[in-house]
């Protein structure tokens, strides 16, 4: 937290943009804490502007992650995993790519893994960027707004809030899967033999 405060004090929105860009492609630290510190006193930046800068920088970093995956990702996958596992993951990514990218963009799941995987599996760059704008925008505008509204209390609860959003998403996906599975079972049983 002290490192984060120093970064915000010294570099402000530029520091936030650099961290958000890097986090989407190779850097391990998410920009949420920086965003929050910028909207809180003594900095008191506009939550709208700060969230917008964070979103745009993060989505730009996603494009770099895609390029990294496109250039260097497949040889690494082939080196560390069996061809069957790579083929299975590629099939899953082709089928559920939008859901994977959105989930990683909105939750604490490491987003960079999915931006790089998008390049490895030749997922459409425009689709990646569009889903990233929605997912990252939703996350960062929510964090910026809640930080501005609740102040320091929200900063102390950030980790809990991020994991709660992940838990909510898991429950929503499980609910969706149960509904879909039940409708498939019903449609099979309704078909004449």
């Amino acid at each position: 937290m002290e490192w984060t405060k120093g970064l915000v004090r010294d570099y402000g929105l530029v520091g936030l943009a650099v961290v958000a860009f890097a986090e989407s492609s190779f850097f391990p630290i998410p920009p949420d804490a920086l965003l929050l510190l910028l909207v809180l006193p003594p900095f008191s930046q506009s939550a709208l502007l700060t969230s917008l800068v964070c979103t745009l920088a993060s989505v730009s970093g996603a494009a770099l992650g895609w390029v990294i995956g496109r250039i260097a990702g497949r040889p690494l996958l082939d080196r560390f995993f069996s061809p069957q596992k790579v083929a299975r993951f590629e099939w899953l990514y082709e089928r559920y790519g939008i859901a994977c990218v959105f989930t990683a963009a909105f939750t604490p799941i490491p987003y960079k893994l999915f931006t790089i995987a998008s390049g490895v599996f030749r997922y459409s760059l425009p689709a990646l960027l569009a889903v990233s704008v929605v997912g990252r925008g939703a996350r960062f505008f929510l964090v910026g707004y809640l930080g501005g509204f609740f102040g320091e209390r929200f900063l102390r609860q950030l980790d809990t809030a991020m994991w709660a959003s992940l838990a909510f998403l898991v429950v929503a996906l499980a609910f969706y899967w149960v509904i879909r599975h039940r409708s498939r079972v019903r449609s099979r049983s309704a078909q004449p033999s």
Side-chain angles (χ1 to χ4, degrees), residues 59 62-63 66 93-94 96-102 105 111 114-115 118-119 122-136:
V59 171
W66 186 91
Y93 206 84
E94 286 173 6
Y96 302 109
I98 289 175
C100 291
V101 171
F102 179 80
Y111 179 55
F114 291 88
T115 64
S118 294
R122 299 173 188 254
Y123 189 71
S124 164
L125 180 58
L128 169 70
L129 297 178
V131 173
S132 296
V133 165
V134 174
R136 292 309 247 184

Side-chain angles (χ1 to χ4, degrees), residues 5-188:
K5 287 179 181 177
L7 186 64
V8 168
R9 183 179 53 251
D10 296 341
Y11 300 104
L13 282 175
V14 173
L16 173 66
V18 169
V19 169
F21 178 87
E23 185 268 339
S24 295
S25 50
F26 61 87
F27 194 61
I29 299 174
D32 303 79
L34 274 83
L35 187 149
L36 274 176
L37 286 173
L38 280 167
V39 301
L40 295 173
F43 304 105
S44 300
Q45 295 277 336
S46 159
L48 181 65
L49 174 64
T50 306
S51 301
L52 181 64
V53 166
C54 195
T55 300
L56 294 177
S58 183
V59 171
S60 299
L64 176 61
W66 186 91
V67 169
I68 291 169
R70 184 79 175 84
I71 293 171
R74 190 61 182 238
L76 288 174
L77 274 181
D78 291 339
R79 181 175 178 189
F80 292 109
F81 298 101
S82 70
Q84 296 84 6
K85 285 187 180 182
V86 172
R88 173 82 174 138
F89 190 70
E90 185 171 11
W91 177 83
L92 286 170
Y93 206 84
E94 286 173 6
R95 186 165 182 173
Y96 302 109
I98 289 175
C100 291
V101 171
F102 179 80
T103 300
F106 187 71
T107 65
I109 293 171
Y111 179 55
K112 70 193 85 13
L113 297 179
F114 291 88
T115 64
I116 293 169
S118 294
V120 170
F121 298 124
R122 299 173 188 254
Y123 189 71
S124 164
L125 180 58
L128 169 70
L129 297 178
V131 173
S132 296
V133 165
V134 174
R136 292 309 247 184
R139 173 178 171 167
F140 295 139
F141 278 89
L142 182 64
V143 168
Y145 171 75
L146 292 175
F149 188 77
F150 291 110
E152 289 280 341
R153 289 180 298 164
F154 185 70
L155 180 61
R156 289 190 296 272
Q157 299 299 323
L158 178 62
D159 283 339
T160 304
M162 294 306 291
W163 286 108
S165 70
L166 178 60
F168 173 78
L169 191 59
V170 167
V171 169
L173 290 172
F175 183 72
Y176 170 76
W177 181 83
V178 167
I179 298 285
R180 189 170 175 196
H181 180 71
R182 289 184 73 196
S183 69
R184 283 183 182 170
V185 169
R186 283 186 195 147
S187 67
R188 279 191 221 136

